[in-house]
Amino acid sequence: MEEEEFESFFKKEMFSRIDEMIEENKLTIENAILLMKHIGYCKTMKFLFLHSFEENSFRVRLEKMIIEENEKKDEKNEKLLVDLCECYLLLNDEFILYDFLSMIMPPLLKVASKKEESEETKKEVEMALLALSCIRKYREIEQELYLNEIKEIIKYHQEHRTMTRLAYQSAWMFLIDRLDTDKSLERVIVNELHFAREATRELEELTICIDWKRGKETKEEVILFGWLRTLQSFFFLFQLRNEEFIWLFSSIVQVFRAAKDNCRGIRSQCICSLRRAAKNRNVKIDDWMKSGAIDAILEEIQRPTLNDDVAYECLLFFTNVSNRLKEKTKNKMNERKRKATKMETFEKLEEEGYEDIITSFHETLNFLNRKYNYELSLDISDYFMNV
């Protein structure tokens, strides 16, 4: 189900009707939560939005129940509280007040910290972390509320491999999204938890285990899609350099080539990830040059079935490549290396007919600018290294 279909089906009236059925004793709160959690799970796994959850009576009921259950001193129903919190986060796409988040996060982190290896426990951990990953990235959260717990969860998995792939990806998505408002997390993510190394391993393992010729989307493909979205946020936000990045870029290219014609959405996400990496000045030019990213995107931009979305991402990638290679350095050795890299890149692009390809897009640049509301240069020379 696509986003437009999803939104049209799950309207505010549906949530209001669920609330009425609970009030009329036609539906138990337990069954209502189970149903709504399933809807929220499907919505989250499809990366869809559900604006109809905002300001409806069922949401108000959930909030009230979470507050009441949290305030109980004795006989607190922890399972009910966790179900309520998961249901709320999986359905919610709006801003959540900090005081309310401080009620939701502790019970979910407690579940996510479970170390038993039974299938039931793994599923509980997965659902708790998936719900936490739904907290929007612009939401500032004090480190005291989550950092020790999420670090322990990630480190324990790195040592024992006890979580599901979805749970692990969700844990990283939650943490990376906190970078948007808390740059102090970067050293923990890059140097202590080795995000690039872990993401590389996950991408490589997923690439191997996915049957790319299947017509129906698999759970593994959804998880891979989630990793690529997480990488885009990371490349946009991080400022520390790390030697592990070159392997990460190579793994993205590996995914790109594996997807071929069967998973255009994943190919597009790969291009977007590489485009953001190319723009980040904290990424060494040699890292993404050696990864084969330029060759992969040159292949894509020459495809006869290239659509507007992918063409736009490709052009942005080459704009970023050009801009990075035009940056001069004061260090003479680095400047000589930059010029050599620039010449090598230019020769490769010239050999592949890059100039003719870009020129062929000249008439469509105005259209792409209007469509995406993001400026691409109309001067063709801006896309070249000007060696």
Side-chain angles (χ1 to χ4, degrees):
M1 187 179 291
E2 300 298 328
E3 184 169 359
E4 187 175 337
E5 295 176 293
F6 195 89
E7 187 70 35
S8 64
F9 187 80
F10 297 107
K11 295 182 178 179
K12 289 185 179 181
E13 292 80 8
M14 188 270 296
F15 288 106
S16 298
R17 181 55 186 149
I18 292 290
D19 192 58
E20 289 173 5
M21 291 176 70
I22 296 171
E23 197 68 31
E24 296 167 357
N25 294 320
K26 295 180 180 179
L27 180 66
T28 65
I29 186 64
E30 291 80 9
N31 285 339
I33 292 171
L34 184 63
L35 173 62
M36 291 297 103
K37 272 181 64 173
H38 182 69
I39 292 172
Y41 176 84
C42 294
K43 164 234 169 196
T44 303
M45 292 295 284
K46 285 287 187 178
F47 303 98
L48 302 178
F49 288 93
L50 193 59
H51 302 296
S52 55
F53 185 64
E54 182 184 7
E55 297 180 2
N56 66 75
S57 56
F58 182 73
R59 173 178 175 150
V60 173
R61 181 184 290 273
L62 281 181
E63 291 174 343
K64 183 180 179 182
M65 291 184 69
I66 290 171
I67 293 171
E68 289 176 350
E69 199 64 40
N70 191 70
E71 290 178 347
K72 287 182 180 179
K73 301 298 181 183
D74 301 313
E75 299 182 0
K76 183 181 293 187
N77 189 334
E78 293 190 2
K79 184 181 185 308
L80 175 61
L81 179 59
V82 168
D83 284 339
L84 290 166
C85 294
E86 289 174 349
C87 182
Y88 186 84
L89 286 179
L90 289 169
L91 291 171
N92 184 74
D93 287 313
E94 305 303 323
F95 189 82
I96 304 175
L97 293 175
Y98 182 82
D99 289 344
F100 198 63
L101 271 179
S102 66
M103 295 182 200
I104 293 176
M105 292 182 63
L108 293 182
L109 286 168
K110 183 179 179 180
V111 172
S113 299
K114 289 183 177 182
K115 294 180 171 60
E116 297 89 348
E117 296 188 28
S118 68
E119 290 303 313
E120 182 180 355
T121 299
K122 287 182 177 181
K123 190 63 182 177
E124 290 175 0
V125 170
E126 179 181 277
M127 189 62 75
L129 287 169
L130 183 66
L132 286 168
S133 73
C134 294
I135 299 173
R136 303 296 293 277
K137 64 181 180 180
Y138 55 74
R139 170 70 269 185
E140 185 174 359
I141 307 173
E142 295 296 330
Q143 290 186 8
E144 289 77 9
L145 195 57
Y146 70 90
L147 187 55
N148 288 338
E149 291 86 348
I150 207 73
K151 279 170 58 178
E152 175 60 26
I153 289 167
I154 290 174
K155 285 182 175 180
Y156 189 83
H157 178 73
Q158 289 174 348
E159 184 177 351
H160 301 282
R161 302 296 169 191
T162 54
M163 289 195 293
T164 66
R165 291 191 186 278
L166 178 59
Y168 194 47
Q169 187 267 319
S170 298
W172 274 114
M173 180 177 285
F174 168 81
L175 188 57
I176 296 296
D177 278 349
R178 308 284 71 79
L179 260 179
D180 193 51
T181 54
D182 189 351
K183 297 297 187 290
S184 68
L185 290 171
E186 192 167 17
R187 292 191 180 277
V188 173
I189 291 170
V190 175
N191 296 332
E192 185 177 345
L193 298 178
H194 299 281
F195 172 70
R197 181 194 68 194
E198 292 297 298
T200 298
R201 193 198 68 254
E202 291 295 314
L203 290 182
E204 290 176 349
E205 291 183 1
L206 283 164
T207 303
I208 293 171
C209 75
I210 290 174
D211 181 359
W212 294 101
K213 295 182 180 179
R214 284 187 60 177
K216 187 177 179 181
E217 185 178 60
T218 63
K219 185 175 181 179
E220 287 75 19
E221 288 176 40
V222 174
I223 297 169
L224 177 57
F225 197 91
W227 272 109
L228 292 170
R229 287 171 63 96
T230 303
L231 284 169
Q232 289 168 35
S233 295
F234 177 72
F235 290 146
F236 182 73
L237 296 167
F238 90 98
Q239 297 176 352
L240 286 177
R241 291 185 178 182
N242 188 286
E243 296 302 321
E244 297 171 344
F245 286 160
I246 184 171
W247 308 114
L248 180 54
F249 301 141
S250 296
S251 68
I252 296 173
V253 173
Q254 181 182 354
V255 172
F256 179 85
R257 295 192 185 284
K260 294 185 179 178
D261 297 325
N262 300 306
C263 300
R264 185 165 292 182
I266 287 180
R267 288 171 68 87
S268 181
Q269 291 296 313
C270 289
I271 295 171
C272 188
S273 298
L274 293 169
R275 183 257 296 175
R276 289 196 172 185
K279 187 175 184 179
N280 192 315
R281 293 184 177 180
N282 299 292
V283 174
K284 292 181 180 179
I285 294 175
D286 284 353
D287 285 352
W288 46 261
M289 290 286 290
K290 293 175 182 177
S291 70
I294 287 182
D295 289 326
I297 296 181
L298 272 172
E299 290 174 16
E300 184 68 20
I301 206 169
Q302 295 180 73
R303 287 162 62 92
T305 57
L306 189 69
N307 62 31
D308 293 338
D309 295 341
V310 177
Y312 193 75
E313 290 292 338
C314 290
L315 288 170
L316 284 176
F317 172 82
F318 284 118
T319 301
N320 293 340
V321 169
S322 182
N323 289 338
R324 290 295 307 280
L325 290 174
K326 288 175 183 176
E327 295 172 354
K328 295 184 178 181
T329 63
K330 294 181 180 180
N331 184 294
K332 290 184 178 179
M333 183 176 296
N334 289 341
E335 180 62 14
R336 285 197 297 271
K337 186 175 181 180
R338 180 191 71 84
K339 287 182 177 180
T341 301
K342 187 176 176 182
M343 178 66 74
E344 180 184 345
T345 305
F346 184 82
E347 289 174 353
K348 174 187 286 291
L349 296 177
E350 187 176 40
E351 182 180 332
E352 295 292 333
Y354 171 70
E355 184 170 359
D356 292 336
I357 295 168
I358 297 299
T359 301
S360 71
F361 280 107
H362 191 255
E363 295 300 321
T364 64
L365 288 177
N366 265 326
F367 166 74
L368 292 173
N369 285 337
R370 292 195 305 272
K371 181 175 179 179
Y372 297 95
N373 195 29
Y374 188 100
E375 186 175 353
L376 282 169
S377 175
L378 300 180
D379 186 350
I380 294 297
S381 64
D382 288 344
Y383 295 91
F384 300 101
M385 311 311 135
N386 297 323
V387 178

